[in-house]
Amino acid sequence: MLPGRGPNGRAAAARLSRLMGTRTTWTPVGDGEFFCPGCGGDRNYQRLSGQRRFALLGVPVLPRGATGPVVECAACRHHFGTDVLDHPTTTRFSAMLRDAVHTVALAVLAAGGTCSRASLETAAAAVRAAGFDDCTEEQLAALVEALEADTGRFTGGPCAAGLAIELHEALDPLAPHLAAPGRESILLQGARIALADGPYTPAERDALATVGAALTICSDDVTRLLAAARTPS
Ligand SMILES: [Zn+2]
């Protein structure tokens, strides 16, 4: 007799599933670190592939095929689909954010040509706030000089080719993991560096447009944000 609905039915179903049902045995196929959405933090995980077997009285008798793979959190033991691995760990995410601000600062400084003290101070403060605690104005100035020596041969200013690639490399992987305010905040930090020594130059506008595009901010919003950054809040 098949179990029906209601409390008696559920009890019967539970009894039945103890007698027979599908059991899955998991085999580790890899490990690493991920952000666990279950217990909310960077954790170790094991990647498991499963083998399903039909079991009678708890004893697996018939293979029912492969299942998974799943990701098991070492801390809370919850299982997740492997798509959880698409999300960066908090450590990785902070590093991406820090690199993004650093690259944007360099691109804007390089686009401005000779770096004024005010631009360097604004840039260094932004980079320190993003996580490079010991970033100094002198370090940034030296990097910009090295970039200019390296990329100055491109026509159309130092930002034209080399830095556009750098910007995309730093920002493209980050953009999908940031909500709109987070992406806008990175662009605004770049805008404030550009504005520290006066109005935007065409090269600074170009660099900021590249930043906006890499952050998947549409060009209308880039224009709006660049105008908003000019108005001191
Ligand atoms: Zn967990």
Side-chain angles (χ1 to χ4, degrees), residues 16-162:
L16 197 58
S17 86
R18 271 198 300 275
L19 295 176
M20 56 189 241
T22 305
R23 301 281 183 276
T24 307
T25 48
W26 298 101
T27 318
V29 288
D31 55 31
E33 201 180 46
F34 81 132
F35 180 84
C36 176
C39 55
D42 292 353
R43 310 282 185 248
N44 291 320
Y45 71 81
Q46 275 201 317
R47 213 179 139 99
L48 306 169
S49 92
Q51 208 58 46
R52 296 168 72 236
R53 283 194 170 76
F54 180 73
L56 263 183
L57 300 168
V59 179
V61 286
L62 281 172
R64 277 275 170 92
T67 185
V70 296
V71 167
E72 184 188 77
C73 172
C76 70
R77 299 282 166 197
H78 271 101
H79 284 189
F80 305 96
T82 49
D83 54 337
V84 290
L85 301 182
D86 297 342
H87 300 278
T89 60
T90 355
T91 311
R92 174 81 195 107
F93 181 75
S94 321
M96 286 163 89
L97 210 52
R98 197 185 57 196
D99 291 349
V101 173
H102 190 240
T103 311
V104 168
L106 284 179
V108 174
L109 287 175
T114 48
C115 299
S116 72
R117 192 73 205 166
S119 322
L120 284 171
E121 278 168 6
T122 310
V127 172
R128 280 195 296 267
F132 281 117
D133 299 337
D134 48 4
C135 171
T136 64
E137 286 77 0
E138 289 68 31
Q139 273 172 9
L140 287 179
L143 281 170
V144 171
E145 240 172 67
L147 274 171
E148 276 168 355
D150 191 43
T151 59
R153 62 183 178 275
F154 292 109
T155 50
C159 191

Side-chain angles (χ1 to χ4, degrees), residues 116 118-119 191-201 204 230:
S116 72
S119 322
R192 285 189 201 105
I193 297 168
L195 290 169
D197 62 348
Y200 301 116
T201 64
E204 283 172 341
R230 251 195 321 224

